[in-house]
Amino acid sequence: MNLTFENRYAIGPNETKNLDTEGLRKNFLIEKLFGEDNIHFTYSHYDRYMAGGAMPVNQKLKLETIEALLKEEYFLSRRELGIINVGGDGKVEADGELIDLNYKEALYIGKGTMEVYFISNDPAKPAKFYLNSTPAHHSYPTKKVTKEQANKIELGSLETSNHRVINQMLLHTVIQTCQLQMGMTELQVGSVWNTMPAHTHDRRMEVYFYFDLPEGQSVSHFMGPVNETRHIWMQNEQAVISPPWSIHAGAGTSNYTFIWGMAGENMNYDDMDKCPITELK
């Protein structure tokens, strides 16, 4: 089986404040998601969220169950899955249905889908399927969402270095899901700040995946309570876990794109406690 995983337990703000740089990265940073002909997941105990990547090159990759972790006959027995392709053109096969999934296109696969495969059209330009999965209580149909079909929100300005376009893709206002929500925010040229002003939402956790970052450039991701923030330096195609008690914002040395995925108690995208910039410490 070409599937590997790691397990991350949830910790609170009091434990986090005592972590050094290595400890902070070990608990929250997902450094490597893509490996040739491999599927890799990080399982977070914040809302039992799974973030990972599938990169088929020379073979068709099957999404197998993880017996030691899920203890289910197949992966989506009690889960739903969101996919956004951040690499070359590819295909996803869901219970025999073959779906084209190209760069920056999203796909939702519902609970109860027994067989899922990942395929690249060209091994020289392999697909990179970024994966998010959450527990699910109901089965909703498989559905593809392109950038053109996404609900778009334009925010910020070049003057405040945060001009960005939010593409709400796997969101309850666009498609039906149980609790998983995913979208993609594209920073415009000259802008580097995302999610600013920052916010928290105590009833939802979140994972950020940064990509489209030019070679030699980095992103500094900010987390922690409003009055005691910390930072994690991140590279292209890395992800970071954001607990419900933490802000989540970042600034890059260049513009970039990031995928946000979240899950929790509610589905209200605007349910957030905004943090005035001048009150961040």
Side-chain angles (χ1 to χ4, degrees), residues 2-278:
N2 294 12
L3 195 154
T4 55
F5 75 95
E6 55 185 298
N7 204 356
R8 303 279 182 92
Y9 287 97
I11 59 175
N14 290 335
E15 293 82 2
T16 301
K17 70 188 296 182
N18 295 315
L19 296 176
D20 60 10
T21 299
E22 182 181 356
L24 202 67
R25 295 172 70 87
K26 184 177 180 181
N27 277 275
F28 300 106
L29 178 64
I30 305 173
E31 290 194 76
K32 187 172 176 59
L33 290 106
F34 299 109
E36 185 174 319
D37 289 323
N38 180 251
I39 301 172
H40 182 74
F41 276 106
T42 296
Y43 183 102
S44 170
H45 285 261
Y46 295 109
D47 288 301
R48 304 199 176 274
Y49 203 98
M50 297 179 71
M55 183 179 169
V57 179
N58 300 305
Q59 58 181 291
K60 178 180 180 179
L61 293 179
K62 183 178 182 180
L63 181 63
E64 306 264 14
T65 189
I66 305 172
E67 175 59 31
L69 185 65
L70 303 180
K71 300 188 183 299
E72 293 288 342
E73 184 180 351
Y74 55 98
F75 191 94
L76 295 178
S77 174
R78 297 177 59 84
R79 286 186 158 268
E80 57 188 345
L81 178 68
I83 308 165
I84 297 180
N85 187 358
V86 298
D89 293 350
K91 294 179 176 63
V92 177
E93 184 179 327
D95 278 352
E97 180 185 2
L98 202 59
I99 303 144
D100 289 315
L101 201 68
N102 300 329
Y103 185 59
K104 291 187 175 180
E105 292 183 337
L107 180 67
Y108 173 81
I109 302 180
K111 170 183 175 292
T113 305
M114 298 185 70
E115 291 193 340
V116 177
Y117 294 91
F118 303 102
I119 306 157
S120 288
N121 290 358
D122 182 358
K125 297 178 181 177
K128 292 181 178 180
F129 299 106
Y130 176 60
L131 313 174
N132 282 190
S133 177
T134 58
H137 63 276
H138 186 82
S139 179
Y140 289 112
T142 296
K143 186 170 182 180
K144 175 179 171 178
V145 179
T146 65
K147 277 181 61 179
E148 290 70 31
Q149 295 168 324
N151 182 37
K152 295 183 183 295
I153 302 172
E154 189 169 357
L155 294 175
S157 67
L158 187 60
E159 287 75 16
T160 50
S161 302
N162 66 347
H163 185 202
R164 61 201 189 274
V165 176
I166 300 172
N167 299 276
Q168 296 178 336
M169 303 181 85
L170 306 186
L171 203 73
H172 69 98
T173 54
V174 180
I175 66 167
Q176 288 182 303
T177 71
C178 288
Q179 64 165 324
L180 177 65
Q181 300 180 73
M182 290 180 74
M184 182 170 57
T185 300
E186 298 172 304
L187 275 289
Q188 305 304 294
V189 174
S191 288
V192 296
W193 280 102
N194 69 64
T195 320
M196 190 55 64
H199 62 264
T200 60
H201 30 68
D202 200 48
R203 296 196 291 159
R204 292 199 305 267
M205 64 84 66
E206 200 157 355
V207 174
Y208 275 12
F209 170 76
Y210 291 95
F211 72 110
D212 265 358
L213 196 64
E215 185 176 354
Q217 305 301 311
S218 299
V219 171
S220 186
H221 181 85
F222 294 88
M223 62 165 295
V226 177
N227 63 345
E228 196 167 358
T229 61
R230 309 283 295 276
H231 72 273
I232 300 175
W233 278 100
M234 298 179 59
Q235 308 309 316
N236 192 44
E237 296 185 351
Q238 292 184 343
V240 63
I241 299 166
S242 178
W245 47 264
S246 173
I247 68 161
H248 31 283
T253 56
S254 170
N255 63 309
Y256 52 89
T257 302
F258 74 98
I259 293 170
W260 42 268
M262 54 188 169
E265 189 176 325
N266 70 332
M267 301 284 284
N268 183 2
Y269 180 84
D270 294 320
D271 180 13
M272 58 185 73
D273 297 314
K274 294 182 179 178
C275 313
I277 295 172
T278 54

